[in-house]
Amino acid sequence: AVSQHFQAPAPLNRHAAAGAMAKDDAAEKRRVQVLSEFENSDLKDIRNEYHFRTPFLIDALEPLLKDKRDIPMLCLLINIFEVVVPGAITVYAINLWQPPMSLLTCNLVGIGYIAMVLLLFQERFTLFLHFASHRSMFHNEILNSMINYVVAPFFGIPSGIYKFHHVVMHHVENNHELDASSTEDFQRDSWSDFAFYWFRFVCLIWFELFWYSIRTKKWGWFVSAGSGLASWLTVIAMLMKYVSPLATCWVFIVPHILAMSLMSFGNWAQHMFVNPADRFSNYALTYNCIDTPGNRTTFNDGYHVIHHLNARMHWSEIPQHFHDNLDKFAKNGALTFRNIHFFDVGILVMTKQLRKLAEDHYVHLGDKETAPTVDEIEAKLKSWLVPLSKTAATTNGKKAQ
């Protein structure tokens, strides 16, 4: 009875199985892309950090710049005064209109203002502030201070805080123990770990930043950051009490929550890949994103390894520096991705798509013959996401450097 129902497998099935095995074998041996296979558009593409150049005004203000290569930064700053500041005034005007407009109308105007800031300016200004903090933009120090104390709050960043947080703490401590924004202690593809990191970055940073200044005896920065934070809180309280609480929420408070949240994920993404065996090396605590449109709107921020090696390098020099020093990046194992920026890298990692990141975006800096397989890079990336143990060996590594 058994033999009556038995049928020999068709030859085609054996061929199909063999074909599937061949495909699997080919997939295992598939190698990542190599830098020599494409041209890096970052070297020559048109800058996109600003939206339009204001005739006559840019020419009149250009002599104020320390470096004429910062004209795109000046154009963006002028765009902010031409678009964002009038937008904020409009939000207040709608809320103060007599007879009063409906609550729905006031909130819709607020939402529209937030959408405009986020889509057109938030990322651009954050990276503008980033490079302006590392390299002062104007000859006049009052103008340089205005960026941190007057303009930054319109993008949710408290007065006088960013430079202390980023330049003094983050770059000096370099994502290690005393850096309150360090990612080393976390499993960096875990949403629960990121939730704790977000809480620490957004809510606890105000306590940790001042505690850092005490531990490191940076008393000048303690006073500077304290006065900046106090002035920011005072202005917001005055605007809420005497002008319009709803308009103040839309213009200053909501942007603050959004900005701190975006910066927390940005720093998390930038420092999610850290070599457990070499965590003190600037080549091994972040990565470079090249050949991506994001670099044309962020002053080449994608080259984060270079930025940690030399934070004062002018943003316009960074792509060429990368190509001039390929041997160093290859020798030291610096991770490089193409046609993707930090937020996208972070999203792929957090959604467990390491293979897509390795297959579509990872770039090998050596010869094609030495290119690793996609499987090897996927495994490597996964191993660089784990919490880092503070052993005697790794601590000594810092002293050795």
Side-chain angles (χ1 to χ4, degrees):
V2 174
S3 62
Q4 291 178 351
H5 296 284
F6 175 80
Q7 290 184 352
L12 288 176
N13 290 341
R14 288 197 299 270
H15 291 311
M21 291 177 63
K23 288 181 180 179
D24 291 340
D25 187 56
E28 290 178 3
K29 294 181 179 179
R30 184 179 302 153
R31 299 189 179 275
V32 298
Q33 61 186 315
V34 178
L35 182 63
S36 59
E37 296 175 339
F38 62 90
E39 184 177 357
N40 186 0
S41 60
D42 295 338
L43 292 168
K44 61 180 183 180
D45 270 14
I46 298 174
R47 306 312 307 175
N48 194 29
E49 280 85 2
Y50 60 95
H51 296 290
F52 53 89
R53 182 186 177 110
T54 306
F56 308 113
L57 189 56
I58 297 299
D59 295 331
L61 296 177
E62 182 183 326
L64 299 174
L65 294 174
K66 286 184 174 181
D67 192 326
K68 290 186 178 181
R69 294 176 297 178
D70 287 332
I71 286 179
M73 298 179 72
L74 179 61
C75 290
L76 175 62
L77 185 60
I78 298 301
N79 287 170
I80 289 169
F81 280 101
E82 292 170 327
V83 179
V84 176
V85 174
I89 293 173
T90 300
V91 174
Y92 275 96
I94 293 297
N95 279 267
L96 296 173
W97 197 268
Q98 294 297 330
M101 295 193 179
S102 68
L103 182 62
L104 176 61
T105 299
C106 292
N107 280 315
L108 288 176
V109 170
I111 292 171
Y113 171 78
I114 291 294
M116 179 270 293
V117 171
L118 282 178
L119 294 175
L120 299 181
F121 290 101
Q122 187 72 41
E123 182 185 47
R124 287 175 166 88
F125 174 77
T126 302
L127 276 306
F128 164 95
L129 178 63
H130 172 238
F131 281 103
S133 298
H134 282 289
R135 292 172 56 103
S136 57
M137 181 176 168
F138 296 107
H139 292 291
N140 189 308
E141 285 305 314
I142 294 177
L143 293 177
N144 289 324
S145 297
M146 282 183 61
I147 297 171
N148 275 280
Y149 284 88
V150 179
V151 184
F154 284 93
F155 297 90
I157 302 171
S159 299
I161 291 293
Y162 183 87
K163 187 171 183 176
F164 181 31
H165 183 288
H166 179 77
V167 178
V168 177
M169 183 188 69
H170 176 62
H171 271 272
V172 171
E173 305 306 333
N174 219 26
N175 200 50
H176 305 314
E177 284 81 352
L178 291 181
D179 184 354
S181 60
S182 172
T183 61
E184 290 186 337
D185 294 333
F186 300 93
Q187 177 64 40
R188 294 177 295 279
D189 61 351
S190 163
W191 284 109
S192 59
D193 276 40
F194 174 69
F196 182 77
Y197 180 83
W198 174 89
F199 179 75
R200 183 182 182 187
F201 193 104
V202 176
C203 302
L204 300 184
I205 192 63
W206 310 118
F207 305 101
E208 295 195 84
L209 196 57
F210 290 105
W211 177 235
Y212 168 76
S213 66
I214 293 172
R215 293 179 68 183
T216 56
K217 298 182 180 180
K218 299 184 187 299
W219 306 118
W221 282 106
F222 182 93
V223 173
S224 175
S227 59
L229 183 61
S231 64
W232 177 70
L233 290 171
T234 299
V235 170
I236 288 179
M238 297 283 285
L239 288 171
M240 291 194 73
K241 183 175 182 179
Y242 297 109
V243 184
S244 170
L246 184 58
T248 304
C249 282
W250 284 118
V251 174
F252 294 108
I253 297 177
V254 173
H256 173 65
I257 297 171
L258 292 173
M260 294 302 293
S261 298
L262 290 169
M263 286 193 291
S264 71
F265 188 76
N267 197 70
W268 173 270
Q270 287 175 329
H271 294 283
M272 62 189 352
F273 292 121
V274 183
N275 185 350
D278 196 19
R279 69 186 181 98
F280 288 107
S281 169
N282 283 315
Y283 294 96
L285 55 78
T286 184
Y287 54 92
N288 289 323
C289 292
I290 71 171
D291 192 37
T292 175
N295 282 336
R296 268 87 77 192
T297 59
T298 62
F299 304 97
N300 291 318
D301 183 54
Y303 295 82
H304 211 60
V305 173
I306 295 176
H307 182 62
H308 271 264
L309 288 168
N310 183 1
R312 288 188 52 78
M313 182 181 296
H314 194 271
W315 56 268
S316 65
E317 300 173 355
I318 295 176
Q320 188 60 55
H321 177 84
F322 172 77
H323 284 272
D324 291 343
N325 293 273
L326 284 176
D327 55 335
K328 293 181 181 179
F329 293 106
K331 179 181 178 181
N332 289 280
L335 298 180
T336 304
F337 301 103
R338 176 201 181 198
N339 198 27
I340 195 170
H341 218 247
F342 296 119
F343 263 72
D344 305 307
V345 171
I347 291 170
L348 287 180
V349 172
M350 298 302 290
T351 54
K352 313 298 183 185
Q353 298 186 73
L354 284 179
R355 186 167 190 84
K356 179 177 178 60
L357 182 60
E359 191 170 21
D360 295 346
H361 302 288
Y362 182 85
V363 177
H364 177 60
L365 301 182
D367 298 330
K368 188 173 184 178
E369 293 74 19
T370 63
T373 65
V374 172
D375 287 342
E376 289 171 337
I377 294 302
E378 182 182 10
K380 178 180 180 178
L381 295 178
K382 186 174 183 179
S383 70
W384 283 30
L385 294 170
V386 298
L388 303 181
S389 59
K390 309 303 191 296
T391 63
T394 57
T395 301
N396 290 337
K398 184 177 183 180
K399 294 177 181 178
Q401 283 195 341

